[in-house]
Amino acid sequence: MLTFYDTPFTARLLLGTAQYPSPAILAEAVRASGAGIVTVSLRRESGGERSGQSFWSLIRELGVRVLPNTAGCHSVKEAVTTAQMAREVFGTSWIKLEVIGEADTLQPDIFGLVEAARILVSEGFDVFPYTTEDLVVAERLVEAGCRVLMPWGAPIGSGRGLNNVYGLRSMRAHFPGIPLVVDAGIGTPSHAAHAMELGYDAVLLNTAVAKAGDPAAMARAFALAIEAGRLAFLADPMTPRDMAAPSTPVLGKAVLA
Ligand SMILES: CC(=O)[C@@H](O)[C@H](O)COP(=O)(O)O
């Protein structure tokens, strides 16, 4: 059973709520995805054109758990303040912690991330850190009190899939008991299935669904791929070989009259 901070979930897709063509299409996509958790940016919701009550009512009607995020925060102070405000606004101590370190790749500032995680855990937050696949950083985050880790697949919005399969595999092996979610950079359902086949517990994505020609259909495709990847992982896939092995054993040659 998948649990995040002691809350059980059946759906293994977490969906972002930004960049959809309209609130109605967002709602369709969330429903089609079957996601139990959506991530919402406080900054975007309070500052943007979709701001305020109507967006919040829409999310509430969807009956999903909200995971507020600190998207766009570039310093520890900014991330901590945003998390504190999100707790007030959304009434949850869950926070997807992003401390962005670099504008071209939007990769996490891992030093700031660990520092912010420590502060937020000490203030009673349940932190979901957006991190890299670096095991040392991951260890520091766990020491800081994070009980979920969310390594990137590739830079946010890039749709490149899993850039470092080896690193992600190592991370899975190193933290067998921690829920691991691939977050960001997923472009197609096959990328998500791959993450699940590696034994990841869930996938968080936004752009690939929001920017698809038909977001609801793409959301459904992701849900199916994630389920297929999970089933494949549980079914214990075969080990790849370098050389061929006949899949149809032949006992003797046919005798042709
Ligand atoms: C919305 C959100 O949380 C993003 O910051 C997240 O990391 C998803 O990234 P993609 O848009 O690449 O799926």
Side-chain angles (χ1 to χ4, degrees):
M1 168 67 75
L2 172 63
T3 62
F4 292 126
Y5 290 100
D6 303 321
T7 305
F9 287 91
T10 46
R12 292 172 182 271
L13 170 57
L14 289 71
L15 201 60
T17 56
Q19 305 186 79
Y20 289 81
S22 71
I25 293 174
L26 162 64
E28 265 178 47
V30 173
R31 287 196 190 96
S33 74
I37 300 173
V38 296
T39 183
V40 176
S41 162
L42 172 74
R43 304 174 98 209
R44 201 172 283 120
E45 295 332 316
S46 52
E49 68 281 1
R50 306 180 305 167
S51 67
Q53 213 47 45
S54 61
F55 180 77
W56 186 216
S57 314
L58 174 78
I59 297 292
R60 233 194 285 260
E61 278 164 26
L62 291 168
V64 288
R65 176 93 188 221
V66 172
L67 172 60
N69 66 58
T70 63
C73 292
H74 287 254
S75 71
V76 173
K77 189 166 185 299
E78 204 183 357
V80 169
T81 307
T82 302
Q84 290 163 340
M85 287 165 66
R87 179 155 65 180
E88 294 292 313
V89 171
F90 296 108
T92 174
S93 57
W94 279 20
I95 191 77
K96 169 168 138 63
L97 180 60
E98 288 187 21
V99 183
I100 299 299
E102 206 274 320
D104 281 337
T105 58
L106 297 180
Q107 75 185 85
D109 169 353
I110 47 156
F111 306 100
L113 180 68
V114 173
E115 190 184 334
R118 271 201 200 105
I119 296 168
L120 291 172
V121 169
S122 76
E123 293 183 7
F125 282 89
D126 295 328
V127 177
F128 294 64
Y130 164 64
T131 185
T132 65
E133 62 285 89
D134 186 307
L135 294 187
V136 180
V137 177
E139 284 285 8
R140 297 289 179 277
L141 289 167
V142 171
E143 281 163 23
C146 296
R147 289 164 56 203
V148 180
L149 295 169
M150 308 222 294
W152 62 350
I156 293 170
S158 69
R160 293 181 53 84
L162 309 185
N163 263 355
N164 182 357
V165 174
Y166 164 76
L168 291 171
R169 195 181 277 127
S170 305
M171 196 169 191
R172 177 69 287 177
H174 194 77
F175 295 100
I178 299 246
L180 296 182
V181 182
V182 168
D183 172 11
I186 297 294
T188 58
S190 61
H191 297 153
H194 192 184
M196 299 304 292
E197 287 168 12
L198 294 178
Y200 274 71
D201 294 283
V203 174
L204 189 155
L205 58 97
N206 188 155
T207 309
V209 167
K211 292 293 185 190
D214 183 341
M218 187 59 82
R220 174 85 179 125
F222 269 106
L224 293 172
I226 286 168
E227 194 183 339
R230 177 67 184 168
L231 284 173
F233 170 71
L234 294 175
D236 190 13
M238 67 173 282
T239 310
R241 303 166 47 99
D242 287 334
M243 305 301 285
S247 51
T248 307
V250 179
L251 292 177
K253 285 192 177 173
V255 180
L256 300 175

